[in-house]
Amino acid sequence: MNDSKKNPHSLPAEVFRQILESLDDMVLVKGPKSKMLWANRAFREFYGMSEEQLHGIIDAPFSNPDHTQQYVEHDNYVYESRKALDIPREPCTRHDGVVRQMHTVKSPIYDDAGRTVMTVGISRDITDRIEGEKLKEEQRAHQMYSDRLQALSAMAGGMAHEINTPLSVILTLSDQLREIVEERGFDRDVFISSTKVIADATMKISRLISDLQTFSRESAREKFDLVDIRDVVNMTLSLCRQRIQSKGIRFDVTMPQKNLIVNCSRTQLSQVLLNLCMNAQDAIARIPSPWISVEVKDSENKIEISVTDCGSGVPLEYREKIFRPFFTTKDVGQGPGLGLSVSRSLIQGHGGTLEYDDKAANTVFRVTLPRVS
Amino acid sequence: MLIVDDDVHLRDAMALAVQRKGYQVMGAMSGNEATALLKNHKVDIVLSDIRMANGDGMELLNYIRAFVPTPPSVVLVTGYSDFTAEEALRVGAAAVIAKPFERMKLIGELDRIIGYERFEKKSA
């Protein structure tokens, strides 16, 4: 290194040496055939060897031979390609036998004629960083698990309540019916009224179970048809328009004047739309001059159906929870709180999405479906 | 007695069950409705669901303990077991009954509370 003669601003070679010696990253210079020429202090300490001991060897005797083989292959690549090689992670055995993970960059060093005469490898020990990330990942997984457990126990509580109430009805009435018959024989009126209520209660439980089943895809598989989405929307809205308008709510529908074909289950899609409209109706019950609007839009390969009501959006603290099963803001007795979670699951079964639009000024729920034509 | 439940079928079923055993019954579908009734009617027992909108069972219990001059015994019915049952007993509920309950257990609990001995029951 006689550069100081050519360039007066250049530092003396001894300064470069001290810089290299002061680094915590390991620096290793190798000649042809992967033979070590020089290593900085960090490398020597890692290998527990002196400059003299390192000179001329390919690797330390305590290194894993497979690893050594890999280093040599990398060296050859750099030699032949004349390009730097970034190795994001490679194992390296320390003098005490502990294997550490390194991030290494190997670069060629050229002579005046541009030939590769040496390689220099710079390695940083990333073991602690990797372990830190692993720990963080484990903590995140643990947190997710306990969140899920919490959601599950809330769901179990809601479910218990929803099932135990009709069960109490069934148990009380059937037992009473038996007692009445034992006491005074068959009573037609009591029999008819009791069994009717028992059947209702049973249906309530049955509906709950079928709602829950839609969470598993298998049971939600219904026959899909190619239909014009506008027919489904019209048919569904005709079911609820009367009910909504009778509550003094303005109800607007806008749809493009052309066929919008989707592959869907009419009943499922209709169930979702009905649910969104009923949610909207319930949400704005106490707002003056209320309105709901349903808009169908087509955009490229998608069809969007938005149900908007005049409310000012879902309160911040509920946004994360509204799609969870058994979450409800409605009064008890107004359904178990499965509407949105079941709806979302049905729409996902169509390859679509159901989202709450948190950027809109009013309350907007949007269904997106893949379009066929 | 006063039966408070927002599920109309369960309220009717419970009313029928206790009426047949000689209790006189009024019904309410929420805690708020119940407190209104309690202002003008004297009852011995309030049988109420814990989980209701518009004044749940715990609120009703607390109201009765605080504001009703001769407070009736309060029996709470719960759809799932959690800490509220313990809490209810601690603040003075006469009993907590878990759904689904057997009719005669409910009657037995009510009889015990008013100190009534029923000799005709469960002979067969």
Side-chain angles (χ1 to χ4, degrees), chain A residues 147-209:
Chain A
D147 283 354
R148 220 176 287 166
L149 211 63
Q150 206 179 2
L152 193 70
S153 81
M155 180 167 153
M159 220 167 84
H161 186 89
E162 293 299 327
I163 291 177
N164 280 332
T165 298
L167 275 184
S168 303
V169 173
I170 294 168
L171 207 53
T172 306
L173 287 182
S174 57
D175 185 46
Q176 190 157 262
L177 201 54
R178 179 194 52 75
E179 192 187 72
I180 291 171
V181 172
E182 270 174 12
E183 273 175 21
R184 56 171 198 247
F186 183 72
D187 181 326
R188 191 172 181 276
D189 291 347
V190 172
F191 182 83
I192 290 174
S193 64
S194 301
T195 48
K196 196 172 165 304
V197 175
I198 289 173
D200 280 354
T202 314
M203 280 313 294
K204 211 177 195 177
I205 298 172
S206 157
R207 265 198 305 276
L208 185 77
I209 290 169

Side-chain angles (χ1 to χ4, degrees), chain A residues 106-118:
Chain A
K106 288 189 175 177
S107 313
I109 295 174
Y110 312 115
D111 65 7
D112 290 343
R115 284 173 304 213
T116 310
V117 286
M118 285 181 241

